[in-house]
Amino acid sequence: MILRIIVCAKETPDTVATVEAREGVVTWDDAPLVINPWDEYAVEEALLLREKGLAATCTVISMGREDGSEALKHAIAMGADEAILISDPVLADADTLLTSHVLAQAIRQFEDVGLAVFGRQAIDGDTGQTAVQVGRRLGWSTLTYVSHILELDAAEGSITVERMLEQGRQICTGTLPAVISVLKDINEPRYPSFVGLRRATQTDVAVWTAVDIGLGAAVISKVTWPEVSNLPVHAGAAEIIDGATAEEKVEKLVEKLMAEKGIWR
Amino acid sequence: MSGVWVWVEQSGGTAANISWEALGLGRRLAGALGQEVIALVFGMNASMLARTAFQYGADKAIVCEDATLAEFRLEPYATLLSRLAGQHQPYAILAGASACGRDLAGAVAVDLEAGLIPDAVDVELVDGVLEVTRPVYAGKLLARAVSSGSPQIITIRSRAFPVPAMDERRIGEVKPVEAVLAEEDIAAKIAGMEASTGYISLTDAAIVVSGGRGVGGPEGFEPLQQLADVLGASLGASRAAVDAGWIAYEHQVGQTGKTISPDIYIACGISGAVQHQAGIRTAKVIIAINTDLEAPIMKIARYAIVGDLFEVVPALNAAFEKRLG
Ligand SMILES: Cc1cc2nc3c(=O)[nH]c(=O)nc-3n(C[C@H](O)[C@H](O)[C@H](O)COP(=O)(O)OP(=O)(O)OC[C@H]3O[C@@H](n4cnc5c(N)ncnc54)[C@H](O)[C@@H]3O)c2cc1C
Ligand SMILES: Nc1ncnc2c1ncn2[C@@H]1O[C@H](COP(=O)(O)O)[C@@H](O)[C@H]1O
């Protein structure tokens, strides 16, 4: 059995929130913040491993704003044992280089971590880089895009997973401790239970600052977004192709498509 | 700091198409900078692929055919690329934003403490800095991103940049290098690979025919598959169809599935929820086939046929067959 699994989870605006750029700044007004959807799969996988007796404790870490984190609350409500919030004004607008440094440094505070689980990507920055960067910083086996954990053997110190790549499904083995990032295919996240929700309001979240985890000034964000804009406005609704029969409509559509430039090569 | 480096991704000795797209971008940027484009080709068939890289515009190629690099594995690939970049100080490193490309770029960025901008859909050179346009917030917004310091590391979204014209007479200089890690230093062992044969990868496909809850069941995908075969297209699906178990997750398009940029996206029986839209915002022409004129997909589609997909799709199939072949 591995002693501790760490899950890294981020708070993001709800997927249905209307996100807009106003004067170059991203806003979603008062749309709710939620746990990044991919990270629900990460939490679920950690809980499943714990329930199978393959891990003892599940600790969730989130870096974010100081007044609490929906990601942590949700993870506790699902059943995670412990939550840590890393919050510090110096970390605002961190790019993945800095985020990965912070999360790696937070993970190093524990000596008994066997596995760190990440979501595939955060739906705000959409980068999908943090897991591999944390893994690299820790020097651990890093297995991304995991669709299935086939074996987790603490005694042997090995993990075997199925990964989903463009070219197909790969079976890959690595050593423990390891970092993995998970896909939606891996499980079906549970809904928080009533008891869980109550526990989430009662559980104290530890708050760590940059100093607490001994962050040096050496690592800084390198990537900035000087400008964020809305998508070019779509030229109105679809052109509805009319006709008496399906065949007639289709004929018209195909004519139009064949005339589209730069499509048929 | 000189040279635009492009990583040429291969699996089983065949290069990923996105590598040539990256090479085309590299060529354009290097031209503007007055620098060389250098292809990094590792693993199986690397020397052969280097020759193709020259034909697509590389000036030089750094090649390593070591057995440890046969298939992509993060540790040996990243360690070698970081070592080389440390020695030669390239201006930029470009790779495809595939699973392997993202992993490699991420690890190398850490090794070099360099900025990484993933998933570019446009790159411009402004006063010596690469300004990258990339979709953020599930494709709801576009960010212009820049990174300070060097090298500037960028991964590109599949099909966002054209494959350059091939010049078969073009040749270049090959620089062979040694691997850095020995097999016993590499933790990751690939135990098997089940290639997704028979269909074109969704992210590479020029045309995608996609089905949602409206197809009604696994057999509902059959007419869609037939249309896809006629068009040489790939088969996509909404999450509702995947969750219902009608089709494998590999086919899911959207926020928790794949993000794709086909020339034509045919959405059959898909309502077009925001999470589905997140996967198709960079598609060129979206066609909706839906019984419901009010479905949200109508707002982002260029063309729509309001009707039963079980009539429309076979008719489309017949119409295209007549024209294409
Ligand atoms: C966190 C999160 C992530 C998500 N990620 C994704 C994702 O990655 N991808 C994704 O797709 N969804 C995703 N979803 C789900 C999304 O919200 C929608 O539920 C889903 O896309 C709906 O799928 P659908 O359009 O197939 O089904 P429905 O919304 O049920 O639409 C079916 C459509 O078919 C039409 N129809 C029915 N019969 C016919 C017929 N015979 N001919 C023609 N048209 C017909 C109907 O008019 C309707 O418009 C996500 C949701 C959440 C909360
Ligand atoms: N601020 C954060 N706090 C905790 N985990 C994070 C944070 N940012 C990213 N992650 C993790 O890294 C994954 C990938 O994020 P990203 O690279 O930003 O797309 C997410 O699914 C999370 O598991």
Side-chain angles (χ1 to χ4, degrees), chain B residues 179-300:
Chain B
V180 181
L181 297 183
E183 187 58 44
E184 56 271 23
D185 302 325
I186 304 167
K189 307 287 174 201
I190 300 172
M193 183 79 193
E194 189 194 310
S196 22
T197 47
Y199 69 86
I200 315 147
S201 141
L202 254 185
T203 40
D204 279 340
I207 306 179
V208 173
V209 179
S210 200
R213 204 190 314 270
V215 308
E219 62 294 338
F221 275 98
E222 281 163 25
L224 274 59
Q225 179 69 64
Q226 284 161 11
L227 177 59
D229 290 343
V230 170
L231 292 172
S234 224
L235 200 59
S238 76
R239 173 159 166 186
V242 171
D243 283 356
W246 301 344
I247 187 164
Y249 172 60
E250 273 103 315
H251 297 273
Q252 185 179 317
V253 172
Q255 188 160 50
T256 43
K258 293 200 167 108
T259 307
I260 57 175
S261 311
D263 291 335
I264 302 183
Y265 185 75
I266 309 180
C268 312
I270 294 179
S271 63
V274 282
Q275 297 92 352
H276 190 78
Q277 290 185 19
I280 53 173
R281 283 192 213 269
T282 44
K284 288 202 187 85
V285 177
I286 296 172
I287 298 164
I289 298 170
N290 201 305
T291 42
D292 179 8
L293 180 61
E294 303 294 321
I297 189 84
M298 299 295 176
K299 297 219 168 54
I300 60 160

Side-chain angles (χ1 to χ4, degrees), chain A residues 7-11 36 38-39 42 61-64 96 99 103 117-131:
Chain A
V7 177
C8 288
K10 189 178 188 184
E11 183 185 63
N36 173 38
W38 293 94
D39 299 347
I61 300 181
S62 187
M63 179 182 104
T96 58
T99 303
L103 295 176
V117 189
F118 290 72
R120 179 211 151 137
Q121 86 185 42
I123 65 161
D124 47 6
D126 275 342
T127 64
Q129 298 291 166
T130 304

Side-chain angles (χ1 to χ4, degrees), chain B residues 75-89:
Chain B
E75 300 151 273
Y77 270 64
T79 308
L80 175 59
L81 184 52
S82 296
R83 167 82 60 94
L84 292 166
Q87 285 165 354
H88 299 281
Q89 307 279 322

Side-chain angles (χ1 to χ4, degrees), chain A residues 127 144 169 222 255 260, chain B residues 102-103 113 250 302 323:
Chain A
T127 64
T144 49
R169 286 173 187 262
K222 296 255 161 93
E255 283 304 319
E260 288 276 351
Chain B
R102 277 170 184 266
D103 275 5
E113 283 298 334
E250 273 103 315
R302 166 99 54 96
R323 281 187 178 70

Side-chain angles (χ1 to χ4, degrees), chain B residues 40 53 65 97 135 174 179 197 211 219 257 267 284 308:
Chain B
L40 284 294
E65 268 189 310
V174 174
T197 47
E219 62 294 338
K284 288 202 187 85
D308 184 349

